[in-house]
Amino acid sequence: MSDAPCPAETGRPAAEAAKADRLRADVLVEALPYIKNYQGSTVVIKYGGHAMIDERLRDGFAQDVALLRLVGFKPVVVHGGGPQIDALLKRLNIDFRFVEGQRFTDEVTMEAVEMVLSGRVGQDIVSRITRAGAGAVGLTGKDAGLIKAARKRLSRPSLEADAPDEIVDIGLVGEPVAINVELIRHLSAGGFVPVISPVGADEAGTTYNINADAVAAAVAASLSAARLILLTDVTGVLDHEGRLIERLAEAQLNELKRAGHVTGGMLPKLDCCLTAVKGGCRAASIVDGREPHAVLLELFTDKGSGTEVTLA
Amino acid sequence: MSDAPCPAETGRPAAEAAKADRLRADVLVEALPYIKNYQGSTVVIKYGGHAMIDERLRDGFAQDVALLRLVGFKPVVVHGGGPQIDALLKRLNIDFRFVEGQRFTDEVTMEAVEMVLSGRVGQDIVSRITRAGAGAVGLTGKDAGLIKAARKRLSRPSLEADAPDEIVDIGLVGEPVAINVELIRHLSAGGFVPVISPVGADEAGTTYNINADAVAAAVAASLSAARLILLTDVTGVLDHEGRLIERLAEAQLNELKRAGHVTGGMLPKLDCCLTAVKGGCRAASIVDGREPHAVLLELFTDKGSGTEVTLA
Amino acid sequence: MSDAPCPAETGRPAAEAAKADRLRADVLVEALPYIKNYQGSTVVIKYGGHAMIDERLRDGFAQDVALLRLVGFKPVVVHGGGPQIDALLKRLNIDFRFVEGQRFTDEVTMEAVEMVLSGRVGQDIVSRITRAGAGAVGLTGKDAGLIKAARKRLSRPSLEADAPDEIVDIGLVGEPVAINVELIRHLSAGGFVPVISPVGADEAGTTYNINADAVAAAVAASLSAARLILLTDVTGVLDHEGRLIERLAEAQLNELKRAGHVTGGMLPKLDCCLTAVKGGCRAASIVDGREPHAVLLELFTDKGSGTEVTLA
Amino acid sequence: MSDAPCPAETGRPAAEAAKADRLRADVLVEALPYIKNYQGSTVVIKYGGHAMIDERLRDGFAQDVALLRLVGFKPVVVHGGGPQIDALLKRLNIDFRFVEGQRFTDEVTMEAVEMVLSGRVGQDIVSRITRAGAGAVGLTGKDAGLIKAARKRLSRPSLEADAPDEIVDIGLVGEPVAINVELIRHLSAGGFVPVISPVGADEAGTTYNINADAVAAAVAASLSAARLILLTDVTGVLDHEGRLIERLAEAQLNELKRAGHVTGGMLPKLDCCLTAVKGGCRAASIVDGREPHAVLLELFTDKGSGTEVTLA
Amino acid sequence: MSDAPCPAETGRPAAEAAKADRLRADVLVEALPYIKNYQGSTVVIKYGGHAMIDERLRDGFAQDVALLRLVGFKPVVVHGGGPQIDALLKRLNIDFRFVEGQRFTDEVTMEAVEMVLSGRVGQDIVSRITRAGAGAVGLTGKDAGLIKAARKRLSRPSLEADAPDEIVDIGLVGEPVAINVELIRHLSAGGFVPVISPVGADEAGTTYNINADAVAAAVAASLSAARLILLTDVTGVLDHEGRLIERLAEAQLNELKRAGHVTGGMLPKLDCCLTAVKGGCRAASIVDGREPHAVLLELFTDKGSGTEVTLA
Amino acid sequence: MSDAPCPAETGRPAAEAAKADRLRADVLVEALPYIKNYQGSTVVIKYGGHAMIDERLRDGFAQDVALLRLVGFKPVVVHGGGPQIDALLKRLNIDFRFVEGQRFTDEVTMEAVEMVLSGRVGQDIVSRITRAGAGAVGLTGKDAGLIKAARKRLSRPSLEADAPDEIVDIGLVGEPVAINVELIRHLSAGGFVPVISPVGADEAGTTYNINADAVAAAVAASLSAARLILLTDVTGVLDHEGRLIERLAEAQLNELKRAGHVTGGMLPKLDCCLTAVKGGCRAASIVDGREPHAVLLELFTDKGSGTEVTLA
């Protein structure tokens, strides 16, 4: 109770305050079954896109994660950082280009990527979650050998007839080969929130730039997480009439792919969800990160705003 | 996400649903600092009065307690049961009367009191909290010697001049002498919610009927609780202009007593609050239990609906 | 050593005292292998009948249980309370009757049963064990959802030829469907003795009156107890020559049943023993509770006074 | 229950068996308060004299110690071995002599002492306690640096007038300087019974023969034991009329010494008791080890057979 | 044992191999007392200068830290990164300058500092230690609120007579106000090696560039570390004859300062050592990091290569 | 840093000291992978022969064991003591003889064996390891029933044709039947080093003299040790050209036996190694104990000095 002026003195506002209080209590009580359901569960969230740029969304996201931690969830954040990388590369006068949707990553680019992801983007997320009330710790795949990576081999059909597929050089782009979950588990058990930058290394010590969705999926699978949530800048998968598809089983997804219905950036995201659930994560969804508190709403209401990918 | 019909199909409702969702998220996020503040703290709640009779209030109370438990508080409930005792005594054709506001308790009355408090009222509360999501366990002061009691000595001024005070016989009415907190601590540590019936025994094994507010205060002090909340059927202490007094320091309380301003049932409740804070409980308030989710609002908003008693 | 008068001064008594001491030491040492054998083991005791009425037997039982706890066993008590229920029902002017040996239980009867079992009988046992030296805690099946019950369906052959069995309405009589052992284990691990009243509830919250032997058997099986002891008012199962049968394997029991040799109240008790050992309890016996310290003698001597039911 | 012939078949013996059983139960129940009282307490027992020679007493002692362990005490045994040392020295043709009541210990004697104490006497005690049901572990003061010893300086008044006291050479006789309780505590916590041979070493590695009573007193003080029991071959301290003195406060003891009433071997034993209680042991007694199960009787009856030394 | 060719076949080399082996064993055994001495102790190492630039020294340092961890020490690394910061600033075309020996840090500089320290320098150290065998984790002062910082106020005498000291603006340069050791302790307890970048934030979220020596001293004091080691590029403090001063008590240090003997970069380093030991760190030294394995030699030999600062 | 004279003052020695330091650091760092590899692993070492007689080798062995313990291994020592037994038997004028390579052990011999092994040899080893820095604890197979033994049956072909094998009486010679690892594990977990004398007992309490290699193998198998090392007085198994065989698979070993190549004392040692690896020990070797620090070199270098026995 604060020393605020007593509402009893005023007429109307008091009644309104009481109504607001009642609503507040109702909302909290409605959260009960969700809190109970996820007690002690790991929830891996891929954080990126608009939600990472808009100032209000950023603080909202940090509050969501802190709240999850305080009510007994074990949240793990994996973040991207494309625009921030672009900005630094420009300032450093480093040219950059994309091959088949992947950033071509030479050594100087890799250095910049690592610096900006771990040294700026990750640190900003860590600060916000910590200020919101839960101690967050920034990690990269190099910390205690968290992400063992390997060079990603990209191939495309040769332009010449009958020739074998052409290997495309995209430089130091990697994919996660193994996740050493010991450090994540230790931090979660201690009440901390791991915030992971998608950078990994191979045994020889070569550093790789890895797709954040792929890291999130690998982490969720390795931790047998209760949930993987990929925040994106779209509403979810829509059917041919433009309506949101709430659940998408593997078979149905394959059909949509064959029909060419799912394309662009959504395709690899759906594949990441599938990889996660196949690897042991209990449920994986693509959620619209442009909505404020999208994570909270996805986990604390019966109906989320996105598409859940299921095995069957 | 449920299989509910997709709101995207409909026009207006979707927008409204989104608005409601946003509000919901805001409320949850506003709870963050309170949840953080009370993590791991013990909160003792005296449950009684209207909040224990009205069916909706009863479930609301059970949800509040379950929620507190799930988000990391350690709630302990102490309950009364006057009306239920009266009802059983009537059915058993046992006369009952009150002396100086205390129920005169002979042996048959004590038997009925014990049965109804522990066997009915306590069990009902336990069932509701358990169904709301947190395992509750009913206790009496006899369980593992939880409440060591002694016969309460009530005296009143003699009607004859110069005669010593007259001792008033109120039978098996006791007061708490010592609280053995080991069992409460063990249950709280295991994630259970202790629900205590205000019955105690002395070393000889004689059972006593004890005032629930007094038990709650003694338990709160013994546990060095973060909060004691006494649910009552009034708004709190009002000043001479009928306005709620939000904070009442010991000195001020004594003045109000001298002025005869605070009377009736409120007086011992305020004394219980004072006893608790003097004994080591960090804060004690009298809260209006007629308001739905009064406990939650008291703990999750800056301004509660009642009066907090402080040392200075 | 007390300040008692020195026996050395007197002649004869000293010699006798020494002899008594020696005997005492011998008895304690003879208990060694039994104490060793049951260290850390769970022993579930159904307490009822004469042993719960006779004042001396009651304290003897409480001492037995406290001793078991202090020397390293984990005793769990399940109690009945037929006579006490009858007495309360009479005082409340509630008629009662038995159908096929089961108490017909309507709602008012159920209320009375719950009050008297948990609020009086259980509390009395708890007090005695606690005073004897081990902290006991009274529980019902509602505490933390301990006993999930379902309505018991009783059928009997129709009187009309070829008609299907007749369903007999016995009201709120239930049977245990699942035992949530978490609370029992937590209390035992903390050094407390759980004392369970045979009342349970279903998911909808309806309360049921359950046979205490059935609860004891279900609890013993769920805990994989080392022993289940059912205290009764008979010597055990006698053969056709009136001699005690010390061990009764399932096959032999079935034969005795077929021969109509085992009848009346003994039959369901033997079935409870069988249920327990089939469910994982290591050994189950029916023991004569009219003998003082029957539990101690059953566990601390090679030859108990009753009949042990075995699988083969 | 064994397959022993059923006593129900025979007439008289059954009644007698029942009587014996009842007595047995009574004895066990009488032990309750003592067991409760010493739960988790450390009891240090100096074992020696007749109790270590008589075959029946030896097994009785082992059973006592095993029982203490199993019912929750933490017994620690320190043993002597004078007669066994004499026997080995004779067989090895090593002369031995005593100076002021202390065995003169040269290097070859020390070797023999160490071998016989740790390699024979200690091992025999360990075997018996282990067979009686509690895992015992033989230790010497060298194990993990358990007993840090220093050479004992014995002086006696010079025969020449005005000359300083004469230093008496008694060779490798030591006294305990420090007890490293870590190993004892670790073994007790693991459920084992430490059995200590009174041999210690100094920093330079020189081995010393130490008086077992002195080791027991030092160990009891260092562990803040609940009890020190020195088993001897006498009834205790008798007053001038030959009656046992049950309690002897420091002041009274000093008076008895001055009066020359307490002499011989009893004197240092009383001093050891005093040292122990001054060092933090709660109570220390001299008990007649010639009585079977003397340890059990001392701890499980109100009146022991010996003399307790107290501070005041 | 590998499948390497058997040395027995060859003549000379075998003898030499044996000699080398013997030497190796001797060295390991000589490490015994040091390993024993530091078991479980925290050692804070400020890593910087030449040791962080020379490739061989870098791997040597990583091996030293990994070895300390594996033999039971709890190493904590704090690193600097001046040259790396300069390099990035140049590439970003950001001018930089130093005021009173401190880098003037505006917002763009701070961004670059944070990126390069945490995103490059820290990550490189983490990778090397992890590859050497101990899981290292990179942290900044923002992780879980590790370093609470405040803006550093630098003042210098005014050039005008009698004028108050002039405040010098050095921008976002901070000093450590409080160290939240919980995260460091949790990581150390889990077997990880914390590697800390000297960046902190205040309550408002403003990021500060902090001197690494100061952070190391604050961390060592807060952890009550057994040792603080500051690696530098000089031999230690030399006396006026050019000889190494092995121990420097506070009084002596003050005298050297007054005499103007200690100047330049050495002065603040000595003050950091003093701050650490005054704050609870047991010993603090300045060590020549140009020597290979300087950390190991400082901790595993009686004579280190540097100067130890002591209170008296 | 000690107060030793500063080497900087002298010319040459300083350079040499620096060189020695560098070498020292190199050796320590080379140990890194071995320390990492064996962290927390159990290593059982049979200690005997020359290594137990030569004064310098004895201290070297103790240092090796203490070092292993301090850097995180869990060493367990099993020792023999033939020469010491012979010496005592001679001094006691007890004749002794060997049958088929086994000491004929009557009761007086057994007494002497037990005394000398546990009371002298074991105690000496314990003292040295403890002084070297790790708390060692001497055990025999009787401590907490560590080694359950049975009489060894030795048979040899009858001299008469067609007669059955002749049973050879070798008295109280036993073989290990079961190892109760609880005590060893408890001591290791507490940071202590168990030092085991090869004496065991059967259920009846009869004591047996057991071959130390056999005890070491049984202990290594029961603990699923990472390594068994048998210290001997030879270089290992040599092939027919006198070259050391570094690895010997079971099949190869059988062949060498058939060819009569492996004979004498080496044969049972190889069988012990085989027994250990078959029973769950990961690797077993025969190592030349005459080399100083043989244990350390075997575990901390790629190439040991002995022969490793493998399954395949």
Side-chain angles (χ1 to χ4, degrees), chain E residues 1-2 7 21 23-25 29-30 32 36 39 63 70-71 133 246-247 293 297 301-304 306 308, chain F residues 1-2 7 21 23-25 29-30 32 36 39 63 70-71 133 246-247 293 297 301-304 306 308:
Chain E
M1 289 191 296
S2 74
D21 279 353
L23 180 66
R24 170 182 297 213
V29 161
E30 277 164 29
L32 246 179
K36 184 171 165 59
Q39 281 287 305
Q63 290 168 327
L70 284 171
V71 303
E246 298 192 345
R247 273 162 194 270
H293 301 297
L297 292 174
T301 59
D302 279 338
K303 203 203 61 58
E308 181 178 347
Chain F
M1 289 192 297
S2 74
D21 278 354
L23 179 65
R24 172 182 295 212
V29 161
E30 277 164 30
L32 246 180
K36 185 171 163 57
Q39 281 288 306
Q63 291 168 327
L70 285 171
V71 302
E246 298 193 342
R247 269 160 197 272
H293 301 298
L297 292 175
T301 58
D302 281 337
K303 201 202 62 60
E308 180 179 348

Side-chain angles (χ1 to χ4, degrees), chain A residues 133-177:
Chain A
V137 179
L139 303 175
T140 77
K142 291 181 178 175
D143 287 301
L146 180 58
I147 306 173
K148 202 183 139 194
R151 182 181 282 261
K152 190 167 183 175
R153 297 287 159 194
L154 208 70
S155 61
R156 61 179 161 200
S158 174
L159 295 177
E160 291 182 48
D162 298 329
D165 278 11
E166 190 185 349
I167 297 298
V168 190
D169 182 18
I170 45 175
L172 297 167
V173 173
E175 50 191 0
V177 171

